[in-house]
Amino acid sequence: MKTIHWLKPGLQIKRWIALGLVGMILFAFSLSDFFIALGIEISTGPLFIIGLIGIFCIYIALHYGLTSLFNNINEMGGSLDKHIINKKIYDKKILAKGPKIVVIGGGTGLAILLRGLKRFTTNITAIVTVADDGGGSGKLREDLGMLPPGDIRNCILALAEMEPTMEELLQYRFSEGTLKGQSFGNLFIASMNGISSNFEEAIKKISEVLAVTGKVYPVTLEDITLYATLKNGIVVKGESNIPIKSLEEKSPIDKVFIKPKEPEGLKEATEAIENADIVILGPGSLYTSIIPNLLVKNIAEVLEKNTTKKVYISNMMTQPGETNDYAVRHHLEAILKHCPKLNIDYVIANNGDIVDHAYSKYQQEGANLVNVTEEDRESFKNKRIKLIEENLVEIKKDYVRHDAVKLSKIIVDLADGKKKQKFLQFKKN
């Protein structure tokens, strides 16, 4: 038998239905004496009082039950569409009780994970890097002096509730003219930034317009530039130049740093970390999406002091110019090299295989599958870090991605502190 959505826990209507039933029973019980006697006499005894209590219960049930129902409908903008009402009530009453999850990173990997997490909880905070200086984001950053919107745009769209056509519009890239390569979503953020007092306020307004689940914050409001020192000693300026120069020089990245050296992290971001049930690093580009966030002073400090569970999600594929020939442990070692006081409790890594056709495409570009090795297992064991291995491969249109739902189940399970996932079945789109 299918679950009746209207009676799911948290709707706050069941209690009034129950009270109404009690009232009806009490009222009927009080009238039974009159029906049995077939008389018209009105008793002033206990049965009359019981009847009055019953009528009062019915009134309270109707009043508060309808009030609760219409309050929910009003919060949905007055829509009476059954699917929308069920979904909004589910989000508001059920998912709002989910764990508080903070995800730190950037790029496509972060956006994919967010799409999975929003099926389990609305208490999501994405803290996104603003070191991007390439593509459309880089042009807007240079022309308008604003923070790069690309990664933030992807996170907002991942957490937003909108029609497919609207998402296509915001992701649309102009194919010619002076706007060639620029996305409409980036221009939308740039426009909102123009009418707002700062970038943070612009993102908040956009999140309200697009009904975003959770919150999306830039890691800092300061204009930061990412640098990398290669093993051969050459210093490379600019996030987009780092992997290119590394490949040209045939020299791997030794360390990255930012200027200004100690930018101020967003207050809302540090507060989210302090109040989180679990903090996630990744998935995403190791040196250009994840580590730059850890170089923001107060972000690093709150992560180091906070005893909240911390999880690193390893990339599925190596990235040319960044993580060539890296095993899982090498990714974590790079993070700890830049943030040595950080305590990582869990590492989640893929142990599934990739079909030949999709894999060959990546190999042609110089990328390889990040396999879990015995050396990885031994290294994490010595560091007292728990390694979680799972087949997380999902392939769409020959692109290799993490299975967002399976990965999200593991994260929610860790946040809840359970061996098996008992929280909720994920919603189907």
Side-chain angles (χ1 to χ4, degrees):
M1 183 180 294
K2 293 183 178 180
T3 304
I4 301 174
H5 291 284
W6 292 101
L7 298 182
K8 282 188 175 182
L11 183 56
Q12 296 182 1
I13 291 179
K14 280 199 301 184
R15 67 188 68 176
W16 307 121
I17 293 175
L19 183 61
L21 289 173
V22 170
M24 292 174 64
I25 292 171
L26 291 175
F27 185 58
F29 179 67
S30 71
L31 289 178
S32 64
D33 182 64
F34 301 109
F35 286 117
I36 292 173
L38 296 177
I40 309 298
E41 292 185 19
I42 299 177
S43 171
T44 57
L47 289 176
F48 179 72
I49 295 173
I50 290 174
L52 289 177
I53 294 173
I55 293 172
F56 180 72
C57 288
I58 294 171
Y59 167 76
I60 293 295
L62 287 172
H63 175 75
Y64 286 101
L66 291 174
T67 299
S68 179
L69 177 60
F70 285 117
N71 281 343
N72 279 293
I73 292 174
N74 287 334
E75 289 175 8
M76 298 164 205
S79 173
L80 289 175
D81 181 87
K82 181 180 178 182
H83 174 73
I84 294 176
I85 290 175
N86 287 339
K87 184 178 184 304
K88 292 293 185 181
I89 291 175
Y90 183 82
D91 288 351
K92 181 174 181 291
K93 301 296 184 179
I94 306 300
L95 297 186
K97 298 177 182 178
K100 297 176 183 177
I101 300 175
V102 171
V103 188
I104 302 174
T108 306
L110 177 59
I112 290 172
L113 174 59
L114 294 176
R115 289 183 186 275
L117 287 174
K118 73 177 183 179
R119 301 186 179 195
F120 296 88
T121 179
T122 57
N123 298 314
I124 305 169
T125 300
I127 300 174
V128 188
T129 178
V130 288
D132 186 12
D133 64 359
S137 290
K139 290 179 181 178
L140 290 176
R141 182 176 184 176
E142 183 179 350
D143 293 343
L144 303 179
M146 63 179 289
L147 293 177
D151 286 349
I152 289 175
R153 180 197 77 238
N154 287 330
C155 291
I156 288 175
L157 294 181
L159 292 175
E161 297 295 342
M162 67 180 79
E163 295 297 325
T165 303
M166 185 62 178
E167 182 170 358
E168 287 180 18
L169 174 63
L170 292 170
Q171 291 285 38
Y172 173 76
R173 288 188 180 275
F174 295 90
S175 57
E176 53 188 44
T178 56
L179 291 176
K180 184 177 180 179
Q182 190 62 264
S183 79
F184 179 76
N186 283 355
L187 297 178
F188 180 40
I189 295 176
S191 301
M192 190 67 81
N193 185 60
I195 64 172
S196 303
S197 60
N198 57 40
F199 191 71
E200 179 193 2
E201 182 185 334
I203 298 308
K204 286 181 179 178
K205 289 179 179 178
I206 291 172
S207 297
E208 291 172 1
V209 170
L210 299 180
V212 168
T213 298
K215 295 179 175 63
V216 179
Y217 295 128
V219 67
T220 180
L221 294 180
E222 296 188 37
D223 184 18
I224 63 173
T225 302
L226 185 66
Y227 293 78
T229 303
L230 306 183
K231 291 285 187 181
N232 63 7
I234 290 179
V235 176
V236 185
K237 177 183 178 181
E239 176 265 345
S240 60
N241 296 323
I242 291 171
I244 297 173
K245 196 66 176 177
S246 175
L247 289 172
E248 286 179 357
E249 293 290 326
K250 296 181 180 179
S251 179
I253 297 169
D254 180 43
K255 203 166 186 179
V256 294
F257 59 95
I258 56 176
K259 290 184 179 180
K261 189 176 180 181
E262 295 183 347
E264 187 73 18
L266 201 67
K267 181 181 178 182
E268 288 84 348
T270 58
E271 289 175 349
I273 294 171
E274 289 174 346
N275 297 321
D277 294 317
I278 193 166
V279 176
I280 310 297
L281 300 178
S285 300
L286 180 63
Y287 288 104
T288 54
S289 291
I290 298 174
I291 291 178
N293 297 293
L294 306 180
L295 302 178
V296 178
K297 185 180 178 182
N298 52 343
I299 296 293
E301 287 176 348
V302 71
L303 283 171
E304 291 168 354
K305 293 177 182 178
N306 200 339
T307 58
T308 300
K309 292 177 185 175
K310 300 175 191 69
V311 180
Y312 170 64
I313 301 174
S314 173
N315 282 355
M316 197 164 290
M317 307 293 295
T318 60
Q319 290 184 280
E322 281 203 47
T323 55
N324 302 70
D325 303 319
Y326 271 38
V328 180
R329 68 185 183 281
H330 298 137
H331 288 75
L332 184 63
E333 287 169 1
I335 290 174
L336 297 179
K337 182 177 182 178
H338 290 82
C339 196
K341 295 180 181 179
L342 179 65
N343 290 317
I344 298 293
D345 301 290
Y346 298 90
V347 171
I348 300 175
N350 168 62
N351 63 5
D353 293 323
I354 301 174
V355 295
D356 293 339
H357 180 64
Y359 195 14
S360 61
K361 174 185 173 183
Y362 282 86
Q363 287 180 312
Q364 290 172 9
E365 298 173 353
N368 292 289
L369 184 66
V370 178
N371 291 305
V372 181
T373 65
E374 283 302 324
E375 289 84 355
D376 290 329
R377 298 184 183 98
E378 189 65 27
S379 174
F380 295 136
K381 183 179 179 181
N382 292 337
K383 291 183 175 69
R384 296 184 179 179
I385 296 172
K386 296 179 181 178
L387 175 63
I388 299 174
E389 300 179 49
E390 190 69 53
N391 183 351
L392 299 171
V393 175
E394 183 175 67
I395 300 174
K396 290 184 178 180
K397 298 179 180 179
D398 288 338
Y399 285 98
V400 178
R401 298 285 185 262
H402 284 89
D403 185 320
V405 173
K406 187 180 289 188
L407 185 57
S408 297
K409 284 182 178 180
I410 295 172
I411 292 169
V412 174
D413 181 55
L414 291 175
D416 282 349
K418 300 174 184 176
K419 276 188 175 182
K420 295 183 178 180
Q421 177 62 30
K422 295 181 180 179
F423 181 64
L424 290 170
Q425 286 188 333
F426 64 87
K427 299 182 294 178
K428 293 184 178 179
N429 288 333

